[in-house]
Amino acid sequence: MDDSSELSREVEWAARRLRQAGMAFVLASQGRVLVESRKPGLLPLLQAARQLRAMSPARPVLADRVVGAAALLVACWAGVRAVYAEVASEAAHREAEARRLPLRSERRVPNVLNRQGDGLCPFEAAVIRALEQGAGLEEIVHLVERLAAGDGASVPSRWAERGAVRVRLAAGAGAGLGLAVLLPSVFHSFGLGPSFLPMHIPVLITGAVLGPGAGFAVGALAPLLSTILTGMPPLAPPVAQLMVPELATYGAAAGWLRARWVSRRLLEGTGGRAVRRLVGEYAWLSAALILGRLALALSAAAVGPALGLRVSPVAYVQAALLTGLPGLLVQLVVVPILTWQLADRLPILSERGEAYGTADAS
């Protein structure tokens, strides 16, 4: 057996141990665990690295949930032979390539965010800045130690990073809201609005990519803003009022469910990576559509008569379902594809997507 095959087997063994035992990271060599931990964050990994350097064992492999530049360099310092990551940042891949350290990741993301999802992980930001200033490996490890110890070492641009992420979120949500108003006006000009439900698509995608908060806000505002600007959907009968809870539920459910069924990869054992991803995309979308229709039904029953709804709530919901069947089919085709592409290819949006998924390591 050649060295590359043996190394691949060791990496696979460590990755399997990581998943099956629910560990945050695993350091293994020759089919046995050297150090493992369920505690997230860099401090346990740093402590394990020091322990390994003192033990001087055969060079191990590392399997970790999230690997940014900081974790990658700590692994280099510990003398690992290869790294497996469920999620790895672009900076981690660049450093691994520069140091000729094999790094395999299930998912590659622009950045590792902090736990709040409103800025870069402070370790990541500090290490990237140190690398730009030409710091060596020992200097970077000492920097990570100081940050982990909380001795006052800070990341000067932390608040700036948070502000930048918030600006990008606001821009993304604004674009989603604009499309949620513009698309229906185009479809209504051809008499196709009620059938193709064009307002639903931007709301679902905004929630799925930017998270439940942005999805809820866009879903709640879009019907009312569209009514003010274009007169559609109408207030009498109370279509706009009943669409508010429906679309707000779509947006919030899309963000919350996708983060758990795609980003957290709960369908990990159902086949290949692409198949799991596709199943996850359709799972969250189907569930969000059902929850949104339930919200519409409950709203029609609870407040429909008081708002002037002249038909029974059951008849109203049935009519909405039948009329919107073409739009439902369009959503099932278009939304998963666009969400997949946007979440993976646009850093402005996908950074927030990761904040609701697994790439939060600080």
Side-chain angles (χ1 to χ4, degrees):
M1 181 184 299
D2 59 29
D3 290 343
S4 61
S5 298
E6 181 183 354
L7 185 60
S8 295
R9 288 186 61 183
E10 287 199 36
V11 170
E12 288 293 339
W13 188 92
R16 189 163 56 251
R17 172 69 184 177
L18 180 81
R19 293 189 295 265
Q20 293 177 350
M23 294 295 169
F25 71 85
V26 174
L27 283 157
S29 178
Q30 298 177 350
R32 65 186 182 93
V33 174
L34 300 178
V35 185
E36 62 184 13
S37 175
R38 287 189 171 88
K39 296 180 180 179
L42 268 173
L43 183 57
L45 180 61
L46 188 59
Q47 293 169 339
R50 285 211 172 276
Q51 182 180 346
L52 287 177
R53 284 170 65 91
M55 292 166 52
S56 298
R59 293 178 63 195
V61 298
L62 169 67
D64 203 333
R65 297 285 179 182
V66 180
V67 172
L72 191 283
L73 292 174
V74 169
C76 287
W77 182 73
V80 302
R81 300 168 60 202
V83 177
Y84 164 86
E86 290 188 343
V87 178
S89 69
E90 293 286 353
H93 277 279
R94 286 196 302 270
E95 285 303 308
E97 184 176 352
R99 297 170 188 275
R100 297 184 178 180
L101 176 67
L103 168 59
R104 195 187 98 201
S105 64
E106 295 294 330
R107 194 169 182 195
R108 190 165 175 163
V109 298
N111 294 301
V112 175
L113 300 185
N114 59 26
R115 293 191 185 281
Q116 292 74 35
D118 55 7
L120 274 180
C121 165
F123 293 98
E124 188 85 346
V127 166
I128 290 173
R129 186 169 298 104
L131 287 169
E132 291 172 350
Q133 295 171 355
L137 191 56
E138 288 287 343
E139 293 176 90
I140 288 173
V141 171
H142 289 318
L143 171 62
V144 172
E145 283 182 315
R146 292 198 303 273
L147 285 170
D151 67 351
S154 61
V155 181
S157 64
R158 183 175 181 181
W159 295 107
E161 293 287 353
R162 289 184 177 185
V165 170
R166 286 170 179 155
V167 168
R168 290 194 291 269
L169 279 174
L177 182 59
L179 285 173
V181 174
L182 177 62
L183 281 180
S185 65
V186 174
F187 276 78
H188 280 299
S189 66
F190 295 97
L192 300 175
S195 298
F196 284 91
L197 310 173
M199 190 177 290
H200 295 198
I201 293 175
V203 171
L204 287 163
I205 293 175
T206 299
V209 176
L210 295 181
F216 179 88
V218 171
L221 291 173
L224 300 178
L225 184 60
S226 180
T227 298
I228 293 170
L229 296 177
T230 69
M232 295 295 291
L235 293 174
V239 177
Q241 298 94 313
L242 295 178
M243 284 181 67
V244 169
E246 179 190 16
L247 267 66
T249 301
Y250 280 151
W256 193 85
L257 292 171
R258 186 176 186 273
R260 284 148 183 81
W261 293 358
V262 176
S263 294
R264 292 187 187 275
R265 297 167 61 245
L266 295 184
L267 301 173
E268 189 169 22
T270 61
R273 181 184 174 191
V275 173
R276 292 196 306 268
R277 177 76 178 269
L278 189 62
V279 170
E281 297 287 2
Y282 276 100
W284 73 256
L285 176 59
S286 301
L289 291 174
I290 292 171
L291 290 172
R293 290 301 185 176
L294 285 175
L296 175 64
L298 292 173
S299 301
V303 299
L307 293 174
L309 189 64
R310 297 184 180 277
V311 298
S312 71
V314 174
Y316 177 80
V317 173
Q318 286 178 339
L321 288 172
L322 292 174
T323 304
L325 278 178
L328 177 62
L329 295 176
V330 171
Q331 290 166 20
L332 290 172
V333 173
V334 171
V335 172
I337 296 173
L338 291 181
T339 299
W340 192 330
Q341 297 301 314
L342 285 172
D344 283 354
R345 297 190 180 186
L346 292 182
I348 289 176
L349 304 180
S350 64
E351 284 178 5
R352 186 56 175 179
E354 298 312 322
Y356 285 95
T358 55
D360 53 326
S362 63

